[in-house]
Amino acid sequence: LDGGIYHDMAAAMASNGALHIAENGGVEGAPALTKFLTVVQDGKAYPQYPSGYALLAAPFYIVFGVQGLMLMNALSFVASIWLVSKITQRFYGQKVAKWAATIFAIATFAPVYAFGIWPHMLALAVWLAAAYFALIAYFQEQRQQRWLYCALAGLLIGAGVNIRLDVFLVGLVLFFWMRLFSLPRDRISPLFLILGTAPGLLLAAWLNAQKFGAFTPFSYGRGAGGLDSTDQYTLLFIAMGSLMAVAWSVNLPVVWTMLRNKKAHLTVIIGLCAVGLFMSPAGVLLWRMMTGVYVLVFNLQAHDAYVQAGVERNEYGHLLFWGYPKKALIQSLPWAPLILLPLLGFFRGRQIQAVSLCLLSIAAPVAFYALNHWHGGGSYNMRYFFPALPFLAILAAAGLAEIMRDTRPTRQMLLMMLVGASILHIGLQEIGQANERFLAPAALYPQWVIAAALLIALAAISRRPSAYRCSAAVSLSLFALAYGLAVNFYEEVTHERTRFEQLDRARDISAPIASGALVITASPLSFLPAEANGAHVMAADDRTVEKAGEAARAFVDARRCVYFHNSYARDLVGPSFNRAMEPTPLWADSEKFSGDPRLAFFLAAGSPESCRF
């Protein structure tokens, strides 16, 4: 769904500089031809998502077409790898930087999104660039230079909100990092960070005013057809604003030091705060977040998911997306326990600035989306945790470097781990494909075992380090990284197979649809080829059924062809269309998908003969 809307956004901006993706198809009396995730304003269908993506993507689309959107994504991936290396190098040096960039590039699920039409990779590059400028500011001795880089970081954050709204989280991360860990005595630099966001936020507000009639940077429009809304985060915005005010006005490190010197007072205060938190309405919020963290980080199969196209449970209760088990964060990153070592070092006073920046960057998206247990919708991984991946990679690289001080892996060892992990993963997947009972367990639970074994090995090292334990931990770490790579490679191959199958089906479905015709469907992505040839598409569900019937009547009255895509659209929109339909379906010709109900169409009775195929 999202990929189709982002394609439409880029295409509309490239073709006529428009923010809207559809009007009424040039038919008098027809409403705006909406799709999922769109909002109607002044007779035009606008995407609910920020329009900054369209502004950046339009030149790529003009030159390269749809492949240009994939190219922009791939370039953003390259930029993100480079930024991961530069950020790590500032704190840990060149060796750890190479490991961090490598882990991010091959052992996270980032490469699975490198060639899609999604805003995540572009937004991540902006997030990392803002963090890098803030990091440069931290190392500046002159105040004016520090303020300049903070303002530049803020400028990127504001611009990033025009790509994905959750880029604002990096603003919170950098603000609290400055006040608590990096520049606690500098109250001016965080203000420059906030002021720097103003141009981008004003642009976002202006674009939303054009689209939704609301001058605010944080809006999906009223009545958006999406599965999420910014309205539910209003209280969270207020709470974060209040915390920022407290963090700015109070020198928290000094307060903490004063309390720590009086341990009895500190214990009482922490105890009262904990009791008050759990007994207040905030306690409900905290408990919901903790439950969400368990579901989204450790076991996504425990999610009580809503139903949407492609997201379903099989007969064994496994949560699948297009037949692939949906994974929680740890089920995508079996090497994640490597962050334990730098985390322990942090609590012992080592690398405070580096680890705190990483921890805040990991916690921000995890806590934010855990509030609603948002399982990522149309994706296999927890894509909303995308901003956490680079910082998990940085901490993992730091942990790996710590246990590899006396152990240097050879190329033969790396190759053995990669081959072993690949054979194990592919073998398990073949078992899962042969018997659906084992599909989800084979795809998800080995990561738990690997992560648990690595966690035990790292705990043993932290308690009593030895050459043998370090060697065992290095071997397990490399195997976990190799397993992550194997998961990515296998998924990319199988996902490309799914994409090509869907593309072939879409071509066959779209082939007989003539220019100027209207298709009423619950699967608008299947008609992108038809739209490229001049057809019009309107998505229909329970919320848009009346407007879909209205559009169908207007097109029929204008002697235009109207196709109800299979029996689902016919039965859904038929009552609001309130006119007779032909009982026998038309079938799009297809050798590969013959008999597939997605190739069936129904016409209104009395349609012109030219509408038949």
Side-chain angles (χ1 to χ4, degrees), residues 11-264:
M13 183 60 64
S15 60
N16 51 28
L19 297 175
H20 62 276
I21 62 172
E23 295 186 70
N24 66 351
V27 173
E28 185 177 354
L33 304 179
T34 57
K35 293 184 179 179
F36 301 129
L37 312 175
T38 59
V39 178
V40 175
Q41 182 76 13
D42 297 329
K44 299 175 181 178
Y46 290 95
Q48 70 175 22
Y49 295 126
S51 293
Y53 176 89
L55 298 174
L56 292 172
F60 287 90
Y61 193 88
I62 291 171
V63 178
F64 300 106
V66 67
Q67 284 81 10
L69 305 182
M70 301 177 187
L71 174 62
M72 182 176 70
N73 218 41
L75 292 175
S76 300
F77 182 45
V78 173
S80 296
I81 295 172
W82 181 80
L83 286 165
V84 168
S85 176
K86 298 300 289 185
I87 291 171
T88 311
Q89 189 176 347
R90 284 273 175 172
F91 284 130
Y92 291 106
Q94 186 65 32
K95 182 179 178 180
V96 178
K98 288 181 179 179
W99 272 108
T102 302
I103 292 172
F104 170 72
I106 67 172
T108 69
F109 52 84
V112 178
Y113 291 83
F115 298 101
I117 304 175
W118 296 75
H120 297 73
M121 196 66 74
L122 181 61
L124 179 64
V126 174
W127 180 304
L128 290 171
Y132 184 51
F133 277 130
L135 195 55
I136 295 175
Y138 165 70
F139 286 102
Q140 297 299 314
E141 294 183 0
Q142 294 184 352
R143 290 184 301 172
Q144 290 80 359
Q145 290 293 317
R146 186 184 301 165
W147 297 342
L148 172 63
Y149 282 109
C150 284
L152 289 174
L155 187 66
L156 284 167
I157 295 166
V161 169
N162 288 272
I163 301 169
R164 275 188 61 85
L165 292 186
D166 59 4
V167 173
F168 85 91
L169 290 172
V170 71
L172 298 178
V173 166
L174 296 179
F175 180 90
F176 285 111
W177 179 66
M178 289 179 182
R179 290 299 301 140
L180 298 178
F181 299 104
S182 65
L183 303 168
R185 292 176 175 79
D186 183 353
R187 286 189 173 87
I188 305 301
S189 294
L191 294 181
F192 275 91
L193 176 76
I194 295 172
L195 290 173
T197 65
L201 294 181
L202 288 173
L203 174 62
W206 181 80
L207 290 171
N208 284 341
Q210 307 305 305
K211 292 164 58 177
F212 312 135
F215 189 78
T216 170
F218 301 105
S219 176
Y220 274 178
R222 292 198 172 275
L227 299 169
D228 200 6
S229 170
T230 57
D231 294 341
Q232 60 188 309
Y233 297 109
T234 301
L235 290 177
L236 184 64
F237 291 152
I238 295 173
M240 285 297 101
S242 302
L243 285 176
M244 289 174 70
V246 171
W248 184 82
S249 59
V250 177
N251 195 327
L252 294 179
V254 172
V255 174
W256 180 258
T257 301
M258 291 171 59
L259 290 173
R260 190 172 57 185
N261 292 333
K262 299 179 179 180
K263 294 183 179 180

Side-chain angles (χ1 to χ4, degrees), residues 301-313:
Q301 294 296 309
H303 199 295
D304 183 16
Y306 62 83
V307 176
Q308 73 171 83
V311 177
E312 59 185 11
R313 290 192 182 275

Side-chain angles (χ1 to χ4, degrees), residues 319-326 380 433 439 494-495 497-498:
L319 184 64
L320 308 178
F321 179 70
W322 293 119
Y324 299 95
K326 286 179 68 68
Y380 313 102
Q433 293 295 327
L439 179 63
T494 53
H495 294 177
R497 186 173 61 210
T498 299

